[in-house]
Amino acid sequence: MTSRRASVAVVGGGVAGLVAAYRLRRQLGDDADITVVEAGARFGGKLRTVPLGGGPVDVGAEAFIARRPEVAELIVELGLEDQLVHPAGRQPLIWSQGALHPLPTRTLMGIPSDPQSVAGLVDADTLARIVAEPSVPFEWDPAADTDVASLVSGRFGEQVVRRSVDPLLGGVYSGLSDSIGVRAALPTLAAALDSGATSLTAAVAAALPTPSPGPVFGTLRDGYGALLEALRAAARPRTLLDAAATGLRRDGDGWWLDPLGHVDGVVLAVPAPDMVRLVADAAPQVADAARGIELASSAVVALALPDDAGVPENSGILVATGESLGAKAFTLSSRKWPHLAERNVTLVRASYGRFGDAAVVDAPDADLIAMARADLETVTGVRSEPVDVFVQRWHGGLPQYAPGHLDRVAAIEDAVSEVDGLEVAGAYLHGVGVPACVAAATTAATRLSARVAG
């Protein structure tokens, strides 16, 4: 704790920005002048909780990995323990070749550890190829990176990629495995390959996580909005909404941020392209390192259906690549989460949009709703008229972890470390999930507080 009155700005009011503001408040003390500058009309960034069907529903991210500690610990720290809930444990499905299949088990993000993992989802020739794969000569360059599709299709065939891997990776990155690098998306697999695995089968077996007790996912009973509001209340920042940061430059011992003015330090908790724009003149080496990061856009259509709509008793449905559907996934929210099952409606989320295919995101609400209803009927037979609906678009919502992403992030962080009083945080660094964003924001705030208080 310090008696010096520091002034810091956090650009971006998403979860990374609010966590950064909260950590800065804890580390710099009550007297610190902390301002959150947000270009939009609300806080939360790509997290949003809205009223739907009689209660709060998340229309951005709706869960976090429970086995990572960051979010669970933050929930406890903020006194929200009674908000923590876990899934009901229902089985997810995949829609492929016009039919529903159980989600493959014993896979690493859809990459099978043995032929039985994808039996019934791929044809006999593909199964035979998986069986034979360990005997096929294998070369891996520990100095290189490649996209997931190239690696998996080269060893197991295209069906495994499109019917098993793409649906899972698409749910994380809103992209296809063609645009996602092995090292960034599957670090344990890359480590197994670097260690000399003699086949992809052997590498997957070595990379599979050890089974552990407890739920894989968690969420908050009242949605992420409860966490966002608790963070804002605890951080007690000055806030500027509808205030796009338009310029950043050196100003004596600190920085000048338009539209705020002079501050001792800045955390940029915004998407990579916005960060690049802000630092292009003041820290061009940082901008150059981040310039290649691209974003995917998506949309969520949240439906509140009658309780007797007949939605399957599964947690969700992922959609294989190449199917005649617009949707890439459905979350059967009332089946997945026990607290949502208590309502007198059935909640379903349909997700649209992948990297390189953003046109669907800009379709009119009526068209997106009609697509969601038609796609849901195709995969489940449900035809019920919704009693409530909400459409949420996420333009530039998810960064793409392309081959070489880890090198790019290392270059960004090396460049930032050379610029006094500037830190960065966000989903483009070390993971797109909320726990990773919390971790990146905590690191940025800790580094900045040490600099401005020094």
Side-chain angles (χ1 to χ4, degrees):
M1 204 67 76
T2 177
S3 60
R4 179 178 180 274
R5 181 179 174 84
S7 64
V8 294
V10 178
V11 181
V15 67
L18 293 178
V19 168
Y22 168 64
R23 297 297 185 203
L24 287 164
R25 175 64 67 200
R26 293 289 299 271
Q27 293 162 9
L28 293 174
D30 292 340
D31 291 336
D33 183 4
I34 300 170
T35 305
V36 177
V37 180
E38 167 56 43
R42 62 172 190 86
F43 293 104
K46 304 306 184 293
L47 304 183
R48 189 177 187 186
T49 306
V50 301
L52 183 77
V57 172
D58 283 314
V59 291
E62 51 98 40
F64 59 86
I65 298 289
R67 292 170 185 170
R68 283 193 63 154
E70 293 90 349
V71 175
E73 289 177 355
L74 185 61
I75 286 172
V76 172
E77 195 176 329
L78 293 167
L80 298 174
E81 299 97 318
D82 61 340
Q83 285 278 337
L84 185 59
V85 292
H86 299 291
R90 303 287 178 87
Q91 183 184 44
L93 303 171
I94 283 183
W95 176 263
S96 177
Q97 302 298 291
L100 290 170
H101 305 263
L103 186 75
T105 58
R106 304 185 309 282
T107 77
L108 188 69
M109 199 60 75
I111 307 174
S113 58
D114 59 65
Q116 289 306 308
S117 299
V118 289
L121 188 61
V122 300
D123 63 22
D125 288 345
T126 299
L127 290 176
R129 184 169 179 176
I130 298 170
V131 170
E133 192 267 341
S135 65
V136 177
F138 180 62
E139 291 185 8
W140 173 259
D141 181 359
D145 194 8
T146 186
D147 63 90
V148 176
S150 295
L151 173 65
V152 178
S153 64
R155 302 299 295 180
F156 290 158
E158 191 75 2
Q159 288 185 11
V160 172
V161 172
R162 303 310 169 196
R163 300 180 190 180
S164 183
V165 181
D166 272 355
L168 283 152
L169 276 179
V172 176
Y173 297 100
S174 283
L176 299 177
S177 53
D178 308 71
S179 63
I180 305 299
V182 172
R183 294 192 179 278
L186 301 167
T188 59
L189 181 65
L193 293 166
D194 290 344
S195 297
T198 56
S199 67
L200 182 56
T201 299
V204 171
L208 282 175
T210 302
S212 59
V216 176
F217 298 104
T219 196
L220 290 95
R221 180 174 297 276
D222 292 331
Y224 270 122
L227 176 64
L228 298 170
E229 184 52 41
L231 283 168
R232 193 155 67 99
R236 305 186 310 282
R238 287 198 298 145
T239 57
L240 296 178
L241 287 173
D242 291 316
T246 56
L248 180 67
R249 65 181 185 274
R250 278 301 213 174
D251 184 43
D253 292 336
W255 294 86
W256 186 274
L257 176 68
D258 293 325
L260 181 60
H262 175 85
V263 291
D264 297 321
V266 181
V267 175
L268 299 179
V270 292
D274 294 330
M275 184 272 278
V276 168
R277 174 178 54 80
L278 282 170
V279 303
D281 294 329
Q285 69 276 34
V286 178
D288 290 344
R291 235 179 267 282
I293 298 174
E294 298 184 278
L295 306 179
S297 297
S298 61
V300 170
V301 181
L303 305 170
L305 301 167
D307 203 28
D308 60 356
V311 171
E313 298 292 330
N314 298 90
S315 61
I317 301 168
L318 302 175
V319 178
T321 303
E323 297 297 307
S324 57
L325 292 179
K328 64 183 179 185
F330 299 89
T331 304
L332 308 182
S333 305
S334 293
R335 306 293 188 244
K336 182 175 181 178
W337 300 107
H339 67 290
L340 297 181
E342 297 169 0
R343 300 190 191 171
N344 59 3
V345 294
T346 299
L347 298 166
V348 173
R349 297 178 7 146
S351 298
Y352 289 84
R354 287 190 172 97
F355 177 65
D357 181 26
V360 65
V361 177
D362 292 317
D365 282 6
D367 291 355
L368 281 169
I369 294 166
M371 278 192 282
R373 293 189 61 194
D375 289 344
L376 184 64
E377 181 179 353
T378 297
V379 301
T380 68
V382 170
R383 303 181 64 180
S384 300
E385 182 87 23
V387 298
D388 203 357
V389 64
F390 191 92
V391 175
Q392 176 66 54
R393 293 172 179 80
W394 295 118
H395 291 99
L398 285 171
Q400 297 301 286
Y401 279 38
H405 185 78
L406 297 185
D407 292 338
R408 194 172 289 118
V409 170
I412 293 168
E413 294 181 331
D414 285 348
V416 169
S417 70
E418 299 296 322
V419 184
D420 189 53
L422 177 69
E423 297 294 338
V424 297
Y428 63 89
L429 292 172
H430 297 288
V432 298
V434 177
C437 291
V438 171
T442 298
T443 298
T446 301
R447 286 169 53 91
L448 186 63
S449 64
R451 289 184 176 189
V452 302

